[in-house]
Amino acid sequence: MLDIYLTDTQQHVQFQDYPGDHPVKFILNFKKIFPSVMELLLPVLPSDDNLEEMTWEASSQDFEIFKLLLGGWGLVELRLTAVAQYKDRAYADQFVKKAQAKRKEHGKKNAKLSNVELDYLFLQDLHALIDADLVEIGEKFYLPTLREQWKGRVSDAVLNGTI
């Protein structure tokens, strides 16, 4: 369970909707996928340095973005599993590698983009790659749904990938 203090509303939230048993390990692994996670949820070490009792701080908006990233990655994993069943796992893994490379490219070309914006673009590029592949078997496009979920959280240029 993640014990999160929302700094703007001064509320404590206990968040359990994530895979795995150990929250610190989960966050460390999740930041490998989405580097902005360490900006969204700030760790607060307990006085005795016991990681089992670590808490986190975030604004309400940052916490909502974290939940969007978490839900977005869960859907990516489901879609990649479908691709792996249709083709194979190595083929599905190539989508992630291509989207990660494009994320780096976006970061180099657009130094003003935040990590959250780059993480959104990573998700968008990943879903676009999966959409293009799954359309062959009649699956509908997911990108309009993704854009609707993120509307108002990133700029319109980032939302539509026209940076």
Side-chain angles (χ1 to χ4, degrees):
M1 169 179 59
L2 292 171
D3 185 18
I4 302 168
Y5 177 71
L6 301 178
T7 55
D8 53 341
T9 61
Q10 299 178 350
Q11 293 179 307
H12 286 274
V13 175
Q14 293 184 332
F15 185 72
Q16 300 178 17
D17 195 16
Y18 60 90
D21 296 331
H22 200 275
V24 174
K25 191 180 224 182
F26 162 73
I27 293 291
L28 291 175
N29 286 330
F30 200 52
K31 81 172 183 79
K32 292 176 186 174
I33 300 166
F34 298 112
S36 68
V37 166
M38 292 311 283
E39 297 167 15
L40 299 171
L41 294 181
L42 302 175
V44 178
L45 289 170
S47 57
D48 63 0
D49 292 334
N50 181 355
L51 295 181
E52 298 295 324
E53 296 174 15
M54 182 181 285
T55 60
W56 307 86
E57 285 185 349
S59 68
S60 297
Q61 181 178 352
D62 287 350
F63 183 53
E64 290 303 315
I65 291 171
F66 169 76
K67 291 191 304 186
L68 278 173
L69 291 172
L70 184 60
W73 186 252
L75 186 57
V76 163
E77 286 184 336
L78 286 173
R79 296 184 87 207
L80 288 175
T81 299
V83 169
Q85 292 294 319
Y86 177 62
K87 306 244 175 145
D88 64 39
R89 190 69 209 177
Y91 181 83
D93 289 344
Q94 289 303 309
F95 292 131
V96 176
K97 290 177 184 170
K98 287 178 185 175
Q100 285 172 330
K102 201 160 182 192
R103 183 191 195 282
K104 283 183 184 178
E105 185 180 315
H106 286 309
K108 286 179 184 175
K109 286 183 180 178
N110 304 286
K112 292 182 180 181
L113 291 175
S114 70
N115 277 331
V116 169
E117 291 170 320
L118 289 169
D119 286 349
Y120 168 80
L121 289 169
F122 166 70
L123 264 179
Q124 179 177 273
D125 291 336
L126 190 49
H127 280 297
L129 290 166
I130 296 169
D131 279 354
D133 200 71
L134 291 179
V135 76
E136 293 177 17
I137 59 172
E139 179 67 24
K140 66 179 184 172
F141 288 109
Y142 179 74
L143 281 179
T145 304
L146 179 71
R147 288 184 179 122
E148 188 61 34
Q149 290 174 340
W150 281 81
K151 192 179 242 177
R153 304 208 189 265
V154 293
S155 70
D156 287 344
V158 170
L159 189 69
N160 295 308
T162 57
I163 50 168

